[in-house]
């Protein structure tokens, strides 16, 4: 069971315009070239914040959670857990103790493709750059979005 205070789902917001990136954003290169989807226009943004025990976060209420909200909650909790795991290895557990991960998952019209695309904006509070990079490299969500993941779809 999940501890209720560990993860909080913030109110989702609707916004338009392209997603903004800060110049200091951490971007990791994973080698092989791949197509990167960017959004021409953001139609909806779901926000989540993870703090406390990371992966031991709260369950949703069942009232209105949508895939973008769940993705934002999962990514923020997973990245926080990865940061805390790397903090233990680096001897920085005190630093990561009060860390917070703010995640926004944007859905909208992609540039040059039909349908919808996603973008993710993450801000992390309370850790240094070295720990942030280590946590990002260790996080399975970051790896899946950065390196790709095998997706198998079949009829049930």
């Amino acid at each position: 069971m999940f501890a209720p205070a560990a993860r909080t789902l913030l109110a989702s917001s609707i916004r338009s315009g392209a997603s903004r990136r800060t110049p200091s954003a951490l971007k990791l290169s994973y080698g092989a070239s791949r197509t990167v989807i960017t959004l021409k226009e953001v139609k909806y943004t779901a926000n989540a914040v993870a703090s406390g025990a990371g992966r031991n976060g709260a369950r949703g209420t069942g009232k209105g959670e949508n895939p973008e909200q769940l993705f934002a909650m999962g990514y923020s909790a997973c990245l926080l857990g990865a940061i805390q795991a790397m903090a233990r290895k680096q001897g920085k557990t005190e630093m990561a103790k009060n860390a917070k991960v703010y995640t926004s998952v944007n859905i909208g019209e992609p540039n040059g493709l039909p349908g919808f695309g996603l973008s993710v904006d993450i801000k992390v509070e309370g850790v240094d750059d070295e720990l942030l990079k280590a946590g990002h490299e260790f996080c399975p969500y970051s790896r899946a979005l950065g390196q790709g993941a095998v997706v198998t779809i079949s009829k049930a």
Side-chain angles (χ1 to χ4, degrees):
M1 211 31 95
F2 296 116
R7 182 173 53 219
T8 304
L9 177 63
L10 298 179
S12 296
S13 61
I14 298 175
R15 70 177 187 183
S16 63
S19 109
R20 288 170 265 151
R21 301 274 182 196
T22 59
S24 62
L26 178 63
K27 294 181 183 177
L28 300 177
S29 175
Y30 292 102
S33 69
R34 60 187 178 87
T35 302
V36 176
I37 296 172
T38 58
L39 299 183
K40 183 181 344 182
E41 182 181 355
V42 172
K43 301 286 188 185
Y44 174 78
T45 298
N47 299 296
V49 177
S51 61
R55 294 184 61 85
N56 297 329
R59 286 187 303 174
T61 63
K63 296 179 184 175
E65 284 90 358
N66 62 44
E68 294 78 27
Q69 291 170 325
L70 295 172
F71 190 79
M73 290 170 63
Y75 200 161
S76 61
C78 190
L79 180 57
L80 180 59
I83 288 169
Q84 291 169 342
M86 293 296 97
R88 285 189 293 277
K89 287 187 175 197
Q90 294 181 5
K92 298 179 179 180
T93 53
E94 195 59 35
M95 179 187 295
K97 190 168 136 182
N98 295 316
K100 287 187 179 180
V101 178
Y102 300 88
T103 302
S104 296
V105 173
N106 309 296
I107 188 168
E109 183 181 347
N111 285 306
L113 294 171
F116 290 97
L118 289 177
S119 68
V120 180
D121 296 310
I122 300 175
K123 296 191 182 343
V124 180
E125 179 182 298
V127 300
D128 63 22
D129 289 343
E130 179 184 32
L131 184 53
L132 177 58
K133 183 178 183 211
H136 183 52
E137 290 172 344
F138 189 70
C139 176
Y141 277 71
S142 293
R143 286 182 177 177
L145 291 180
Q147 298 175 343
V150 174
V151 177
T152 304
I153 299 175
S154 62
K155 292 175 24 177

